[in-house]
């Protein structure tokens, strides 16, 4: 049956059809939907792991047990999973093991633009690169065949524009696979003697895979009519090349990006006057071509930075550009912002007010960095807030300890903030670690995590108690504080106390994400325009429900969720609690709750 | 047939994804090759969002570039202006007149431009602007702005209305069917 499928959904469909039994992943844009779609198939056990390293190790364990297994992650997740990646390349697999990694050229939702293809080369693993949803499904199934034939994990690389584009997919039935029997084989113990033998095997495997790349139709030539140019390309760049040139030039479309063929490329190049390599980000194909003595144009024409499109290709090839219109007025930018009622707002306002140095982390709360809060100095990678703050404080001493905080979300804390906090507890910097516990993994679209008490299906699961965890690390009870970020006074008092005290401390800012379905909202607040003096104090919190009309604050009742933070900013009592105004009108009290 | 290009633009959280899903289903049902490119993740948090819908005999790129869109369907007035350069010279804009302040306006750093729809018209672009929020409320939910706009867009296509409603029914839950049909009709006949 033909269906329109998101690329990531097609990956999940491929996993299903291939008989995959086990998936462990950590969410990350643009990879998240792979696992969210896979969990809808009862035949596949799926879980959210605390991080990508754990996910890959778990998936490898399932492969060792003889099951077809998979994990999915974003490009920077593969950095976290890199340690097991390199070793399991040596050990090899039992059941097929597919590692789906989604790159984000253009950084739609990422902190860097790294090219995952380097990992395939470095870890000596085959990598497939689909160029649409149908290929995403087909290549996953192919990846399992390659995995089991060559006893190797296989990487399937997605990019945002394939992961998050829907295109037409023909589905097939699932083929069940029996578990491959487990047998003890101490060649899997990676001590030097075994590892040395394993490395020789890996090099032999790469030779065999190169021969496969020469022959298999996953690397295909589409003959063109004009031999002036031949294009070597892969992934989404193939689509842009076809969009611009149609069937004019011959194209060598590479579906397997590591290892790359040699003879196939040489033969292709021999039949055209000039070879063009079109690939996003780094010159992986280009450098390979040059290494095997094939002269090509690539990054001398096309950019190293940002995602491509048909326009990028056309502009670089100096083809005529299309006419367009534009308004002759500056259109204000519309950057992403914290939602109305976001529990992060109150704590970031408090940090701004106290002029803190804020060592940030990865999540929705990175939006604490944008105007008007501007309350984040930097962020690095998952978990770096607490460990980085520790180093900063150790280097600068008491002066820094009295104004520096690290902020980290609940999911990011479990991902890789726990070890940073352990370092603070162990090496004793007087650091203030703020855990922003909104009871969900927010930015990637509400995934459960080990602190929420629910598994990927929303069913009851084990739950890490963050307070008990801090106690277990040795934080005394009085140094583990819980605040409600809707209560600005409490946040301010507790922050000041913990910055002053000469001991490591943890503040847990606890309030569920305002977008969670079970969170009940209060009635919208309103502004008494007679009392509003237009001082703009309320505007300092950057709430999208607030605006200024004719010199007075106005609250958009369709957006306001009644968090009450703006009311605490107002010096003239002009902001009215929706709950009170409502009961005054109806003459009866109504119980309101945010939780 | 040359590939046809539609863009759906708006503010994160306005329901642009559902509209693109419906259009994708509609054109797939007519036997076309279809690509729909969405935005997930950080940009969804109240930022400017865009979805590309392309259909034809064979669609390659999932993206639409400057000067290529046959239609821009905008959920918010300022967003229509922002994405105007992506419209073909003879393309059509269908837009909601609703104004949602972006952060630079909220903080007072910039003003929301006056009569932004007028400014788009002044460029010579064809603009069909209407208050979709009021029509959506009339249909029963302010969330139905997306379906009101789909109803309006349907007027520009030579496809029987039943086919649009069939695609709509395929993407919305049955319990909201009546409301969505009403929203569609209000948009189509406004």
């Amino acid at each position: 049956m033909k269906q329109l499928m998101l690329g990531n959904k097609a990956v999940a469909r491929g996993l299903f059809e291939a008989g995959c039994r086990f998936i462990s992943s950590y969410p990350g844009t643009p990879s998240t939907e792979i696992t969210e779609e896979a969990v809808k198939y009862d035949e596949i056990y799926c879980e959210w792991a605390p991080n990508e390293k754990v996910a890959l190790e778990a998936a490898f364990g399932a492969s060792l047990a003889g099951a077809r297994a998979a994990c999915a992650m974003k490009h920077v997740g593969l950095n976290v999973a890199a340690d097991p990646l390199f070793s399991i390349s040596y050990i090899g697999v039992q059941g097929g093991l597919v590692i789906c990694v989604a790159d984000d050229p253009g950084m739609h939702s990422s902190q860097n633009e790294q090219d995952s293809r380097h990992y395939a080369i470095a870890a000596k693993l085959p990598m497939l690169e689909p160029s649409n949803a149908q290929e995403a499904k087909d290549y996953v199934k192919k990846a399992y065949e390659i995995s089991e034939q060559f006893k190797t994990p296989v990487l399937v690389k997605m990019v945002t524009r394939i992961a998050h584009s829907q295109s037409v997919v023909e589905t097939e039935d699932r083929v069940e696979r029996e578990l491959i029997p487990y047998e003890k084989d101490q060649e899997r113990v990676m001590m030097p003697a075994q590892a040395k033998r394993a490395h020789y095997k890996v090099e032999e495997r790469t030779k065999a895979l190169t021969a496969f790349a020469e022959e298999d139709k996953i690397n295909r030539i589409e003959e063109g009519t004009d031999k002036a140019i031949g294009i070597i390309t892969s992934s989404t760049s193939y689509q842009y090349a076809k969009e611009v040139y149609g069937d004019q030039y011959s194209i060598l479309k590479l579906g397997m990006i590591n290892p790359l063929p040699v003879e196939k490329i040489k033969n292709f190049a021999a039949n055209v006057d000039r070879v063009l390599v079109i690939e996003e980000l780094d010159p992986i194909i280009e450098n390979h071509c040059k290494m095997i003595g094939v002269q090509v144009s690539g990054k001398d024409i096309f950019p190293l930075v940002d995602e491509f499109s048909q326009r990028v290709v056309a502009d670089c090839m100096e083809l005529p550009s299309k006419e367009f219109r534009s308004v002759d007025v500056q259109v204000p930018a519309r950057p992403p912002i914290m939602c109305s009622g976001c529990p992060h707002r109150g704590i970031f306002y408090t940090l701004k007010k106290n002029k803190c140095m804020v060592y940030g982390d990865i999540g929705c709360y990175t939006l604490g960095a944008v105007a008007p809060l501007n309350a984040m100095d930097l962020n690095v990678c998952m978990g770096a807030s607490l460990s980085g703050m520790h180093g900063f404080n150790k280097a600068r001493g008491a002066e820094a300890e009295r104004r520096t905080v690290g902020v980290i979300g609940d999911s990011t804390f479990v991902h890789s903030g726990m070890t940073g906090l352990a370092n603070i507890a162990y090496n004793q910097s007087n650091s203030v670690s703020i855990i922003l516990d909104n009871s969900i993994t927010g930015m990637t679209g509400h995934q459960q995590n080990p602190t929420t008490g629910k598994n990927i299906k929303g069913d009851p699961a084990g739950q890490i108690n963050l307070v008990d965890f801090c106690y277990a690390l040795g934080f005394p009870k009085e140094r583990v504080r819980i605040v409600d970020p809707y209560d600005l006074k409490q946040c301010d008092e507790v922050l000041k106390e913990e910055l002053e005290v000469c001991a490591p401390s943890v503040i847990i800012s606890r309030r569920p994400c305002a977008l969670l379905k079970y969170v009940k909202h209060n009635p919208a607040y309103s502004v008494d325009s007679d009392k509003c003096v237009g001082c703009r104090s309320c505007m300092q919190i950057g709430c999208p429900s607030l605006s200024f009309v004719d010199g007075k604050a106005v609250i958009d009742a369709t957006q306001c969720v009644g968090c009450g933070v703006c009311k605490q900013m107002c010096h003239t009592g002009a902001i009215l609690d929706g709950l009170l105004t409502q009961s005054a009108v109806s003459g009866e009290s109504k119980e309101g709750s945010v939780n | 047939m040359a590939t046809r290009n539609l863009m759906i633009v708006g503010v994160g959280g306005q329901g642009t994804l559902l509209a693109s899903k419906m259009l994708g289903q509609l054109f797939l049902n007519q036997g076309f090759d279809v690509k729909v490119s969405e935005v997930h993740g950080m940009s969804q948090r109240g930022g400017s969002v865009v979805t590309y819908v392309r259909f034809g005999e064979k669609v390659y790129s999932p993206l639409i570039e400057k000067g290529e869109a046959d239609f821009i369907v905008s959920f918010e007035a300022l967003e229509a202006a922002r994405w105007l350069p992506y419209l073909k010279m003879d393309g059509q804009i269908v837009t909601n007149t609703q104004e949602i302040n972006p952060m630079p306006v909220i903080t007072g750093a910039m003003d929301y431009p006056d009569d932004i729809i007028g400014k788009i018209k002044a460029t010579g672009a064809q603009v069909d602007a209407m208050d979709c929020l009021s029509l959506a409320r009339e249909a029963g939910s302010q969330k139905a702005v997306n379906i009101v706009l789909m109803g309006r867009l349907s007027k520009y296509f030579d496809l029987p209305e039943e086919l649009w409603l069939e695609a709509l029914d395929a993407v919305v839950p049955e319990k909201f069917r009546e409301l969505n049909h009403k929203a569609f009709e209000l948009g189509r006949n406004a």
Side-chain angles (χ1 to χ4, degrees):
Chain A
M1 192 179 89
K2 276 189 176 175
Q3 287 180 44
L4 207 49
M5 264 194 199
L6 202 63
N8 279 346
K9 188 175 177 178
V11 170
R13 181 72 200 184
L15 293 168
F16 168 75
E17 290 178 7
C20 173
R21 287 169 179 244
F22 180 96
I23 300 174
S24 184
S25 301
Y26 185 80
T29 313
S31 72
T32 311
E33 300 82 7
I34 294 172
T35 311
E36 288 186 324
E37 290 294 335
V39 76
K40 295 175 184 169
Y41 298 110
D42 289 338
E43 293 86 345
I44 312 177
Y45 168 83
C46 291
E47 65 179 24
W48 290 128
N51 67 31
E52 296 86 354
K53 178 181 186 305
V54 175
L56 177 53
E57 289 159 350
F60 174 71
S63 156
L64 185 68
R68 283 195 165 183
C71 60
M73 61 196 68
K74 67 184 293 174
H75 59 330
V76 287
L78 194 54
N79 299 336
V80 180
D83 202 355
L85 184 78
F86 282 73
S87 288
I88 63 177
S89 172
Y90 277 27
I91 298 168
V93 305
Q94 287 295 104
L97 177 58
V98 171
I99 303 159
C100 307
V101 57
D103 283 16
D104 192 14
M107 292 174 280
H108 298 270
S109 198
S110 300
Q111 69 269 38
N112 75 31
E113 207 171 23
Q114 69 187 48
D115 189 331
S116 291
R117 295 178 299 172
H118 291 289
Y119 271 113
I121 297 166
K124 299 173 190 288
L125 291 172
M127 176 183 262
L128 311 186
E129 256 195 326
S131 71
N132 60 28
Q134 179 69 53
E135 283 187 357
K137 183 182 83 91
D138 294 344
Y139 284 15
V140 164
K141 294 168 81 171
K142 184 119 196 157
Y144 274 115
E145 288 168 22
I146 295 171
S147 178
E148 288 172 0
Q149 183 184 342
F150 295 91
K151 296 278 172 207
T152 175
V154 178
L155 291 151
V156 173
K157 188 201 132 197
M158 303 288 283
V159 292
T160 300
R161 295 302 185 181
I162 295 166
H164 287 163
S165 288
Q166 299 177 44
S167 57
V168 183
V169 174
E170 189 97 42
T171 59
E172 292 161 284
D173 292 334
R174 176 178 170 92
V175 178
E176 286 296 345
R177 310 210 167 240
E178 293 300 310
L179 286 179
I180 298 166
Y182 174 75
E183 282 169 29
K184 182 172 175 173
D185 175 3
Q186 289 202 302
E187 280 300 298
R188 295 195 189 103
V189 181
M190 286 296 111
M191 292 193 296
Q194 286 96 324
K196 196 169 270 184
R197 286 194 290 275
H199 189 183
Y200 281 108
K201 277 193 196 165
V202 167
E203 298 304 334
E204 287 304 313
R205 183 177 78 199
T206 299
K207 276 186 203 160
L209 282 161
T210 305
F212 176 86
E214 301 282 6
E215 298 302 325
D216 196 88
K217 62 179 189 296
I218 197 163
N219 297 323
R220 68 169 189 262
I221 292 170
E222 297 175 5
E223 295 289 349
T225 48
D226 183 345
K227 298 292 174 192
I229 291 177
I231 297 168
I232 305 179
T233 186
S234 72
S235 183
T236 191
S237 297
Y238 162 80
Q239 304 292 356
Y240 304 140
K242 290 293 279 189
E243 187 73 35
V244 172
Y245 291 116
D247 298 330
Q248 185 182 358
Y249 299 129
S250 292
I251 291 182
L252 171 52
K253 196 263 183 199
L254 297 167
M256 183 157 158
I257 211 70
N258 192 62
L260 286 165
V262 176
E263 295 308 319
K264 194 172 249 177
I265 289 174
K266 283 183 178 171
N267 293 339
F268 176 77
N271 285 314
V272 293
D273 299 339
R274 178 188 173 206
V275 179
L276 210 57
V277 175
I278 307 181
E279 57 186 325
E280 279 179 330
L281 301 180
D282 296 339
I284 303 280
I285 302 170
E286 180 183 349
N287 288 351
H288 171 79
C289 290
K290 288 176 176 169
M291 196 174 68
I292 62 172
V294 174
Q295 286 310 307
V296 299
S297 293
K299 294 299 168 183
D300 49 334
I301 299 175
F302 301 105
L304 280 160
V305 180
D306 212 344
E307 66 174 342
F308 286 7
S309 68
Q310 58 268 36
R311 182 159 171 260
V312 170
V313 173
D315 284 355
C316 289
M317 295 306 289
E318 295 173 349
L319 298 173
S321 50
K322 300 199 168 68
E323 271 187 286
F324 59 85
R325 304 171 201 274
S326 49
V327 289
D328 62 352
V329 60
Q330 202 190 341
V331 178
R334 193 186 300 274
I337 46 171
M338 284 182 190
C339 309
S340 288
C342 176
H344 300 319
R345 182 170 285 110
I347 201 81
F348 276 97
Y349 171 72
T350 307
L351 297 174
K352 182 188 184 178
K353 189 180 158 199
N354 284 280
K355 298 186 172 62
C356 288
M357 186 282 183
V358 180
Y359 217 117
D361 222 300
I362 308 287
C364 279
Y365 49 94
T366 311
L367 294 171
V370 303
L373 293 166
N374 301 314
M376 188 177 284
D377 287 47
L378 80 162
N379 72 332
V380 182
C381 63
M382 294 286 284
S385 55
L386 306 189
S387 34
M389 164 180 61
H390 170 79
F392 188 86
N393 284 344
K394 281 286 183 188
R396 295 191 75 87
E399 166 262 328
E401 287 171 343
R402 278 198 293 273
R403 59 179 291 266
T404 304
V405 301
V407 292
I408 186 164
D410 49 338
S411 188
T412 309
F413 178 70
V414 179
H415 178 284
S416 47
M418 285 178 155
T419 42
L421 190 63
N423 193 36
I424 289 168
Y426 171 44
N427 287 307
Q428 294 281 302
S429 59
N430 296 329
S431 297
V432 179
S433 303
I434 303 178
I435 302 174
L436 305 166
D437 180 10
N438 65 349
S439 306
I440 204 73
T441 313
M443 181 61 87
T444 45
H446 285 179
Q447 289 75 33
Q448 304 297 337
N449 69 55
T451 71
T452 65
K454 291 187 183 129
N455 66 17
I456 190 170
K457 291 188 167 181
D459 295 332
Q463 183 171 23
I464 293 176
N465 183 317
L466 290 174
V467 174
D468 287 345
F469 179 82
C470 295
Y471 295 163
L473 288 183
F475 287 85
K477 286 202 167 165
E478 60 275 19
R479 294 280 74 83
V480 182
R481 313 288 299 271
I482 296 175
V483 298
D484 177 357
Y486 281 0
D487 185 340
L488 295 182
K489 187 163 172 281
Q490 184 196 32
C491 287
D492 191 56
E493 285 170 3
V494 170
L495 177 70
K496 283 190 164 79
E497 284 169 28
E498 297 311 320
L499 285 169
E500 272 312 306
V501 76
C502 279
S505 63
V506 177
I507 300 173
I508 299 172
S509 173
R510 183 166 280 167
R511 169 73 66 172
C513 171
L515 298 182
L516 281 168
K517 286 206 171 101
Y518 66 80
V519 172
K520 289 197 174 64
H521 295 149
N522 285 325
Y525 280 49
S526 59
V527 178
D528 181 342
S529 57
D530 291 337
K531 286 188 181 171
C532 177
V533 294
C535 70
R536 300 190 80 97
S537 291
C538 56
M539 304 303 281
Q540 292 178 56
I541 57 172
C543 177
S545 298
L546 279 163
S547 58
F548 242 61
V549 179
D550 301 330
K552 307 261 184 185
V554 177
I555 293 174
D556 177 358
T558 64
Q559 288 198 66
C560 176
V561 299
C563 75
V565 172
C566 61
K567 182 179 163 65
Q568 298 166 63
M569 300 295 296
C570 182
H571 310 297
T572 62
I575 296 181
L576 308 174
D577 187 333
L579 213 54
L580 299 176
T581 50
Q582 194 178 63
S583 59
V585 171
S586 64
E588 60 190 50
S589 69
K590 184 186 162 196
E591 197 176 322
S593 76
V594 182
N595 280 306
Chain B
M1 188 196 98
T3 300
R4 303 270 276 164
N5 300 325
L6 291 93
M7 286 169 68
I8 302 168
V9 303
V11 179
Q14 275 193 302
T16 52
L17 285 185
L18 184 76
S20 64
K21 211 171 165 185
M22 174 185 164
L23 290 175
Q25 191 63 47
L26 173 71
F27 300 128
L28 182 72
N29 290 350
Q30 312 319 309
F32 290 112
D33 189 20
V34 182
K35 279 192 178 164
V36 179
S37 192
E38 307 170 352
V39 174
H40 297 232
M42 183 173 256
S43 332
Q44 280 182 302
R45 299 277 174 259
S48 172
V49 291
V50 56
T51 302
Y52 308 101
V53 180
R54 309 191 71 208
F55 69 98
E57 276 166 40
K58 177 73 189 163
V59 180
Y60 291 108
S61 172
L63 303 180
I64 296 168
E65 268 289 3
K66 283 186 179 164
E68 292 183 351
D70 296 283
F71 290 92
I72 293 179
V73 181
S74 180
F75 286 48
E76 198 270 353
L78 191 62
E79 294 309 309
R82 186 188 316 285
W83 295 98
L84 173 63
Y86 284 73
L87 191 69
K88 268 185 190 164
M89 291 302 282
D90 61 350
Q92 174 73 45
I93 290 184
V94 177
T95 185
N96 184 6
T97 52
Q98 188 185 355
E99 297 184 357
I100 300 173
N101 287 338
M103 196 44 73
V105 173
I106 291 172
T107 60
M110 286 181 82
D111 289 325
Y112 196 105
D114 287 333
D115 186 26
I116 191 70
I117 303 279
K119 288 187 170 70
I120 299 170
K121 285 180 179 165
T123 67
Q126 303 169 66
V127 183
D128 182 359
M130 57 195 277
D131 178 1
C132 300
L133 186 62
S134 297
L135 294 174
R137 283 181 178 141
E138 191 183 329
S141 167
Q142 61 183 27
K143 287 184 180 165
V145 162
N146 48 7
I147 308 303
V148 172
L149 277 163
M150 290 299 101
R152 191 62 175 184
L153 178 70
S154 72
K155 285 183 60 171
Y156 294 90
F157 284 79
D158 192 19
L159 280 174
E161 190 180 349
E162 309 89 78
L163 297 178
W164 287 80
L165 293 174
E166 188 187 318
L168 173 60
D169 292 345
V171 297
V172 296
E174 200 170 337
K175 60 178 172 174
F176 299 124
R177 186 169 288 181
E178 203 179 323
L179 188 158
N180 281 309
H181 280 217
K182 193 173 175 196
F184 187 88
E185 295 300 334
L186 284 170
R188 190 174 166 96
N189 301 319

